[in-house]
Amino acid sequence: AQSVAQPEDQVNVAEGNPLTVKCTYSVSGNPYLFWYVQYPNRGLQFLLKYITGDNLVKGSYGFEAEFNKSQTSFHLKKPSALVSDSALYFCAVRFQYAGNNRKLIWGLGTSLAVNP
Amino acid sequence: DTEVTQTPKHLVMGMTNKKSLKCEQHMGHRAMYWYKQKAKKPPELMFVYSYEKLSINESVPSRFSPECPNSSLLNLHLHALQPEDSALYLCASSGLIDGYTFGSGTRLTVV
């Protein structure tokens, strides 16, 4: 079965420290991988994606993610966390099935708290 | 700033009311989506429109009725909802290999 796992419900990090939010997936074929962020009472904002090419992907707000095919992982990283990065982060995988139909599978989300 | 616009931002409705949620995108995307999201949970897919035709209905109750009048507009008609239908309703659009672009959502409360 296709699935996406975010093993940590909550990640706490001090401001200025590096942060990592983990994501692993189990999807057949060549998936497209995404990270979204959601601030309180807001919609989902796109951060970055991996489709093909360089395994290190750079996105919005200084975030980056590394695609690791052998470990089926797509961890989100930032070298220096800001208090304003505190939010709910979702990993998602888009895969193709039944012709041209495509679906997003979502992880359960990781709540990031950056402490001043 | 979002390129997918949803109205209204907030909606309170009684269980006998009829209301509609609206979504508009000008990104040229040919796929549009309705999602339902409960607090601190991932969004749940409800409907997918591809080239203005309904391609996926995730077994959504008939009290939710989607409509796609043209390639830029998506509506969700609501009738006889239940309190458990209270949630954030998100519209999104996408291209072939793009990520999805989401609107800010409609916060729906059913009383």
Side-chain angles (χ1 to χ4, degrees):
Chain A
Q2 325 281 0
S3 65
V4 176
Q6 292 181 243
E8 299 155 319
D9 291 336
Q10 172 110 17
V11 170
N12 294 295
V13 64
E15 187 175 29
N17 283 1
L19 70 86
T20 299
V21 183
K22 296 179 181 177
C23 173
T24 59
Y25 66 91
S26 174
V27 174
S28 57
N30 295 317
Y32 300 160
L33 301 158
F34 305 91
W35 276 102
Y36 288 86
V37 60
Q38 188 170 34
Y39 298 98
N41 301 312
R42 300 290 298 275
L44 290 152
Q45 295 181 33
F46 169 77
L47 276 180
L48 49 78
K49 66 181 177 184
Y50 174 83
I51 305 296
T52 187
D54 194 349
N55 290 343
L56 185 63
V57 178
K58 294 188 183 297
S60 307
Y61 313 119
F63 283 93
E64 58 188 30
E66 186 167 11
F67 171 64
N68 187 317
K69 188 171 183 178
S70 62
Q71 297 185 5
T72 60
S73 67
F74 190 55
H75 301 331
L76 181 70
K77 299 182 180 185
K78 187 173 183 181
S80 179
L82 300 173
V83 172
S84 57
D85 293 329
S86 299
L88 185 58
Y89 290 80
F90 289 102
C91 179
V93 177
R94 186 174 181 182
F95 71 103
Q96 187 168 345
Y97 74 102
N100 289 323
N101 287 317
R102 293 169 178 84
K103 264 189 169 182
L104 271 185
I105 306 173
W106 296 84
L108 293 180
T110 298
S111 181
L112 173 67
V114 180
N115 307 305
Chain B
D1 290 341
T2 181
E3 297 178 73
V4 176
T5 304
Q6 288 187 245
T7 56
K9 293 193 183 305
H10 300 275
L11 178 62
V12 179
M13 61 185 290
M15 288 188 284
T16 59
N17 291 160
K18 285 185 179 181
K19 297 286 184 183
S20 296
L21 309 185
K22 297 186 182 300
C23 175
E24 185 170 9
Q25 61 97 3
H26 294 288
M27 304 178 69
H29 289 158
R30 302 313 298 269
M32 295 185 75
Y33 312 81
W34 280 115
Y35 280 88
K36 173 184 177 180
Q37 187 183 26
K38 292 282 195 178
K40 299 188 185 300
K41 300 293 186 184
E44 301 170 35
L45 182 64
M46 300 175 72
F47 302 104
V48 180
Y49 273 84
S50 180
Y51 292 86
E52 299 156 53
K53 294 191 185 307
L54 183 65
S55 61
I56 297 176
N57 176 341
E58 292 285 288
S59 302
V60 179
S62 60
R63 57 186 184 269
F64 295 91
S65 175
E67 178 195 19
C68 189
N70 59 52
S71 60
S72 299
L73 294 174
L74 188 65
N75 298 322
L76 185 63
H77 303 297
L78 314 173
H79 174 54
L81 295 192
Q82 302 298 309
E84 60 264 29
D85 296 322
S86 298
L88 181 67
Y89 287 83
L90 293 164
C91 173
S93 68
S94 74
L96 281 178
I97 62 169
D98 295 345
Y100 293 14
T101 300
F102 285 85
S104 297
T106 295
R107 176 75 59 189
L108 174 67
T109 303
V110 181
V111 297

